[in-house]
Amino acid sequence: MIMATAKKRTDKGALQVELRLKDEHIYWKKYVWDAKQPMAVVICNYPGQEKLYQDNLTSMLVKNAVIEMDKYGGVIIANLFTKPLQTVNERTLAEAFLDDGMEELIKVCNEAEIVILAIGSLANRFQVAADRLKILLKQAKNVGLLDRIYELTNGQHKRVHPLAIRNERWSLLEIDEARLAELMQL
């Protein structure tokens, strides 16, 4: 497993960027602008074809939204799946994660004050995504993380991906026991 780290000076300070990867799989990408503040984790679907200093639109939207919250000193962008995909279907998703991917995901969630699920409708459209979401939520509950997990939603409390609300402020919905039971039925 490889970890790449870099610091970049900006007008307002330094931005530290870390990337955890293994072969073609990207476990997470971490941006830290104030190490004294708590971290946020945003879990999306699957990584883009990014390099250490390059961001895709989803990563930019996530980073900007967390900065706008003005509560966190950084964000870890992780995904249900670790392999960048060109085509999304049951087969490609089933091959888009490594066995230790969920363990790594839970590990970074433990580093954060808040965990935001920003997966949109992926778990409604693909069984393998629903299964990964269930595993994540079950493990998060088992290690006491459930009270930190929120869903990114639109104005109608519908689960959305950051691209779906790119021009709106983020609305977060807490995952309580009732919502957890609903998600486990996917």
Side-chain angles (χ1 to χ4, degrees):
M1 193 166 314
I2 298 171
M3 173 108 88
T5 304
K7 280 191 174 186
K8 186 175 185 178
R9 284 247 164 244
T10 66
D11 294 347
K12 298 186 182 207
L15 175 66
Q16 182 176 341
V17 182
E18 292 180 42
L19 181 66
R20 170 78 106 200
L21 51 96
K22 185 179 197 178
D23 300 322
E24 61 189 334
H25 293 264
I26 300 170
Y27 288 93
W28 49 259
K29 192 169 185 179
K30 181 192 290 188
Y31 302 88
V32 179
W33 49 87
D34 184 350
K36 296 175 186 142
Q37 296 292 322
M39 292 294 292
V41 168
V42 177
I43 300 172
C44 296
N45 296 324
Y46 45 86
Q49 304 278 358
E50 6 187 337
K51 304 288 186 218
L52 186 60
Y53 276 129
Q54 292 177 329
D55 291 328
N56 60 28
L57 182 54
T58 300
S59 295
M60 288 186 285
L61 292 169
V62 167
K63 186 172 53 174
N64 290 344
V66 172
I67 289 169
E68 285 176 14
M69 290 178 188
D70 204 27
K71 296 180 188 177
Y72 306 103
V75 62
I76 302 169
I77 302 172
N79 296 284
L80 283 179
F81 300 93
T82 56
K83 183 178 176 182
L85 297 173
Q86 298 298 319
T87 304
V88 180
N89 57 48
E90 288 288 343
R91 185 187 57 76
T92 59
L93 286 171
E95 298 170 353
F97 61 92
L98 298 175
D99 291 338
D100 64 346
M102 193 59 67
E103 178 183 320
E104 189 69 29
L105 191 53
I106 292 295
K107 190 185 307 181
V108 296
C109 289
N110 271 312
E111 294 181 28
E113 183 175 281
I114 187 171
V115 176
I116 301 168
L117 288 176
I119 63 169
S121 64
L122 191 74
N124 294 350
R125 296 180 310 160
F126 300 104
Q127 187 59 50
V128 67
D131 293 344
R132 294 279 298 164
L133 178 60
K134 290 174 192 176
I135 292 167
L136 170 65
L137 292 171
K138 183 177 180 185
Q139 288 187 15
K141 183 177 180 180
N142 289 343
V143 297
L145 291 173
L146 194 58
D147 62 333
R148 297 184 204 176
I149 301 179
Y150 294 78
E151 285 182 292
L152 178 61
T153 62
N154 63 12
Q156 292 78 40
H157 297 296
K158 180 182 177 199
R159 183 175 51 244
V160 293
H161 185 275
L163 290 172
I165 57 168
R166 69 181 78 183
N167 297 320
E168 301 172 33
R169 285 189 65 79
W170 280 21
S171 175
L172 303 178
L173 181 64
E174 185 176 4
I175 295 184
D176 56 15
E177 288 292 335
R179 182 66 178 144
L180 177 63
E182 184 181 325
L183 290 169
M184 296 305 262
Q185 298 301 314
L186 290 175

